[in-house]
Amino acid sequence: MLYAFGFERLGVVVSDLYFIDPDPLPGQATPERGVRLELRLLERGEPIGSIYAARPITIGRPLWRVDLLQDANAAPGTFDRTHHHPGFDGWVPGPRVFVKELSAAPLPWLAGKLSDLPALLKETGVHPDDVAEADAAGLRAAVPEITDTVRGLLERVWAGELGRPADGTGTGPVTSARVSWL
């Protein structure tokens, strides 16, 4: 499932995720499941054909990512693999950064990050001129809705409805996989 929140030049996309890392960190060889959120650049195209035509929308490159993940076999709310990626090299994320506060209270941590766009942009290395001033206000106002969406997706992952392997079983010899929009 994919949710998108669009502002002026920035957007937030959120999706459930099932992931088997082909090169796992020690102790993290089992599948992961949870929710991924990315801060992305957006492009708004012009209507094609007439003023009534649908407007093309491009969800562009990622700037920042948070993965609210846990061992797929763990009890709901474990968050033992929860991390973020403060920056990207084009489309490729930097290394996983584990933060104690993020694993302990993921939604308040996420809300704090999204509420302070200038600090988040500084952390990612993105110049503030790359986004519109209205992005910070729009994002800040949408934080409750975004965190409610993340919470709802997490609940559906924990219930077994989302964040599942492609074959739906999680058994078999698969050594890497990513089932998600993001």
Side-chain angles (χ1 to χ4, degrees):
M1 179 156 298
L2 176 70
Y3 288 87
F5 298 86
F7 306 103
E8 293 299 314
R9 295 184 197 154
L10 285 182
V12 170
V13 288
V14 185
S15 178
D16 61 303
L17 173 69
Y18 179 89
F19 190 72
I20 300 174
D21 192 335
D23 188 23
L25 296 170
Q28 296 187 358
T30 56
E32 302 170 328
R33 65 183 179 149
V35 173
R36 171 171 283 170
L37 178 145
E38 291 177 343
L39 184 65
R40 298 272 195 112
L41 292 175
L42 297 180
E43 289 183 36
R44 186 183 336 210
E46 292 301 319
I48 299 171
S50 77
I51 196 166
Y52 304 107
R55 179 185 294 273
I57 301 167
T58 301
I59 299 175
R61 74 176 175 88
L63 305 176
W64 179 78
R65 172 189 287 172
V66 64
D67 287 323
L68 305 180
L69 300 177
Q70 64 182 58
D71 183 319
N73 301 313
T78 305
F79 296 114
D80 61 331
R81 310 259 179 98
T82 295
H83 61 276
H84 73 114
H85 300 269
F88 279 76
D89 181 8
W91 291 87
V92 179
R96 289 180 168 191
V97 175
F98 293 88
V99 178
K100 182 179 172 182
E101 297 80 10
L102 171 56
S103 293
L107 294 176
W109 185 91
L110 176 62
K113 287 290 188 183
L114 296 177
S115 294
D116 189 356
L117 184 59
L120 185 55
L121 290 176
K122 184 176 181 181
E123 184 177 339
T124 66
V126 173
H127 195 278
D129 290 344
D130 290 344
V131 300
E133 289 183 26
D135 283 310
L139 179 57
R140 193 171 36 258
V143 165
E145 186 176 358
I146 293 168
T147 55
D148 284 347
T149 299
V150 170
R151 180 181 299 106
L153 279 173
L154 283 168
E155 289 169 357
R156 293 182 69 190
V157 166
W158 297 334
E161 297 173 35
L162 299 173
R164 300 181 49 80
D167 69 357
T169 66
T171 61
V174 177
T175 57
S176 71
R178 184 168 94 189
V179 180
S180 177
W181 274 94
L182 304 176

